[in-house]
Amino acid sequence: MADILIKNGRVWDGERFYYSDILINMGKIEKILPKINTVADFIYDAAGKTVLPGLVDMHAHLRTLSSDSIGVQAEMGCFPFGVTAAADTEGCSGNKYLSDLLMVKNVVFVTAAIKDNKPDFEYISQRLSQYKEKAIGIKVFYDLGSYETWSLELLEEICAFARKKGLKVMVHSTNAPSSMSDIVSVLKKGDILTHIFHGGKNSSAKDNYNCMIEAKNRGIIVDLGFEGINHTDFGVFKNAIDKGVKPDTISTDITKFSVCTLGGRYGMTMVMSAAKTLGMSEEEIFKAVTSAPAVALGKTAWWGHIKEGRCGDVTVLDYGDEGFNLTDCFGNNIKSEKGYRCALTVVNGRVIYRNALL
C-alpha cells in the first residue's frame, strides 16, 4: 500500500473549504497541513482542483444487491464519478456476503414487497436477515405508476414495522397516491423522502414546497434521487431552489440504463453539475454529497469527512469542459458547457481511478 501525497488542492473537508496538502499513509489520512514536504510513492498535484472526502451516493442500484435487471456494476457506476460509498436502495437479490465483496462501501435498503396494497412482512424479514447489519432501512416504492400501492395506510403499516426493527424508511414518491404533505406526516426524523422534485401526481410543487419545508423542520431527509430523465422535473427543481428549498442530499438513483443511455457519462458528477446549473451553491452541493449523506446513513464516523486518522477515501474533482445537455420527460432542458469531472478516486489509501487527461 503506497503513500499518497495530494498537494496544492482546495480542500472541502465535509464542512468547510481551505487550501492544504494531504498525506495518506497505510490506508489512513495521516497529515493535513498547508505544506507537506516528504517523499511519497504517489504524488498528485491538485492545483486548480477540489479535494473532497470520497463522495457518498445515498440512492443507487448496485448489481448483486439490486436486481440484475436494473443494477449497475458497482465499481464502474461509482469510482469514475468520485463515489466511494453508496446506499443500495433495492436490496432484493443479494446478501451480506455479496455486499462485502464490493469494493464500493455500501449499506442496503431492503425493498418492501407489496401486492394488492399489502406489504409482505415475511419477505421483508427474510431480506433483512440476509443482509444483517448492512440493512439499515426499508425502501417503499410508493408509486401509482408501477406498483400496487394506493393508500396511506400501507405506508403507515410499513413505518410501524420499521420502527419496531429500529430501521429507517425511504419513500420513492414519484406519482405517489397521497400528497407529499401526507407522506411527510407519516415519516419521522431520520427517514428519507426521495425523488422530491418529481413532476408527477402529487408533486411537492402542489403546495408551493411547504411539504418540503415541513419535512426539513422535522428532521426528515429530503433526497434528490435525480435520475434526471424520469424522476426529476427540472422546472420543479429550479423553482424550489429559487424559493430556497434545497435537497439535503444529492443522489443519482443510478441504474445500468441511466449510466449507459447518457453515453456512459451519467453519474454523481453529472448530477452535481445539473444542481450547480440550476442554482445550488458549491458549498450546498459538496455538503449534499459528503457529510450530509454520511450523517443520514449513520456513517458519519467513517464516511463524508477529511480528518486526520480517518480512512483514506478521497476524491479530487475538476470543474471544466465537461458539458452536458439533458431533457427530462416533461420536455424541460438544461445544458452547460462546463461541469464537474472526477480526476482521482482514492479508496482505503489506494488509487482506484485516475483520469489521465486531468
Side-chain angles (χ1 to χ4, degrees):
M1 189 173 293
D3 296 345
I4 298 172
L5 178 58
I6 301 174
K7 295 186 66 66
N8 306 316
R10 181 183 65 150
V11 175
W12 166 261
D13 68 1
E15 303 296 337
R16 63 192 180 97
F17 291 106
Y18 52 87
Y19 285 85
S20 188
D21 294 352
I22 297 174
L23 178 65
I24 301 171
N25 184 27
M26 297 300 292
K28 295 186 179 296
I29 297 172
E30 183 176 288
K31 292 181 183 179
I32 304 171
L33 294 170
K35 288 294 178 184
I36 298 176
N37 296 311
T38 189
V39 176
D41 298 296
F42 179 83
I43 299 175
Y44 186 86
D45 186 356
K49 301 178 179 66
T50 304
V51 183
L52 303 92
L55 308 187
V56 181
D57 188 347
M58 67 177 286
H59 187 158
H61 294 270
L62 307 180
R63 190 174 181 183
T64 74
L65 304 182
S66 286
S67 61
D68 287 348
S69 64
I70 193 172
V72 65
Q73 201 278 336
E75 284 71 30
M76 292 306 296
C78 292
F79 292 152
F81 308 103
V83 172
T84 61
D88 182 87
T89 60
E90 194 203 359
C92 63
S93 64
N95 54 44
K96 183 180 183 299
Y97 171 74
L98 292 175
S99 71
D100 287 342
L101 290 178
L102 298 181
M103 292 177 68
V104 177
K105 296 170 183 180
N106 59 85
V107 293
V108 175
F109 285 82
V110 167
T111 299
I114 299 167
K115 185 172 179 59
D116 294 330
N117 203 52
K118 296 293 183 183
D120 184 343
F121 290 125
E122 182 177 351
Y123 171 90
I124 297 171
S125 296
Q126 288 173 352
R127 287 301 180 192
L128 290 171
S129 65
Q130 287 178 315
Y131 285 108
K132 298 182 171 57
E133 75 276 5
K134 283 290 186 78
I136 65 166
I138 299 172
K139 167 80 171 289
V140 185
F141 289 91
Y142 196 54
D143 186 332
L144 286 169
S146 308
Y147 305 93
E148 298 183 37
T149 60
W150 54 78
S151 76
L152 196 64
E153 287 74 23
L154 165 80
L155 189 55
E156 290 172 336
E157 282 188 71
I158 295 173
C159 286
F161 177 83
R163 306 288 179 260
K164 292 178 182 178
K165 299 282 188 179
L167 300 170
K168 301 174 182 292
V169 174
M170 177 185 282
V171 179
H172 160 120
S173 63
T174 304
N175 294 313
S178 307
S179 70
M180 295 285 266
S181 181
D182 283 343
I183 296 171
V184 167
S185 72
V186 174
L187 301 181
K188 72 168 188 175
K189 182 178 180 179
D191 288 338
I192 300 149
L193 189 56
T194 191
H195 305 316
I196 54 169
F197 301 127
H198 71 82
K201 185 178 176 64
N202 287 315
S203 164
S204 57
K206 299 292 185 182
D207 70 350
N208 202 29
Y209 308 100
N210 289 326
C211 53
M212 294 297 94
I213 295 170
E214 179 190 354
K216 284 170 159 287
N217 288 340
R218 291 184 46 219
I220 296 165
I221 308 303
V222 173
D223 176 56
L224 179 58
F226 189 73
E227 217 287 327
I229 296 175
N230 296 312
H231 290 309
T232 299
D233 181 318
F234 300 155
V236 172
F237 190 12
K238 172 63 174 170
N239 289 338
I241 292 172
D242 291 345
K243 292 178 181 295
V245 181
K246 320 286 178 61
D248 297 311
T249 57
I250 290 174
S251 63
T252 63
D253 189 23
I254 195 168
T255 69
K256 71 179 184 182
F257 300 109
S258 56
V259 77
C260 293
T261 55
L262 297 174
R265 294 176 52 236
Y266 181 77
M268 184 64 84
T269 47
M270 183 179 284
V271 176
M272 293 166 66
S273 300
K276 184 177 177 69
T277 299
L278 289 170
M280 288 184 69
S281 72
E282 197 160 63
E283 183 173 350
E284 291 168 338
I285 293 167
F286 287 177
K287 186 171 185 177
V289 297
T290 58
S291 53
V295 170
L297 297 172
K299 292 291 185 177
T300 187
W302 296 276
W303 304 347
H305 290 84
I306 289 177
K307 291 183 180 180
E308 290 183 358
R310 287 287 189 96
C311 188
D313 293 352
V314 173
T315 293
V316 179
L317 295 183
D318 176 63
Y319 190 77
D321 297 328
E322 188 74 4
F324 64 93
N325 188 331
L326 298 174
T327 301
D328 65 27
C329 60
F330 300 94
N332 301 305
N333 177 263
I334 55 172
K335 59 184 177 181
S336 173
E337 294 181 357
K338 300 287 186 180
Y340 291 106
R341 50 194 179 180
C342 180
L344 187 74
T345 305
V346 179
V347 180
N348 292 331
R350 292 182 184 274
V351 175
I352 298 298
Y353 171 82
R354 183 182 180 186
N355 187 328
L357 300 178
L358 301 177

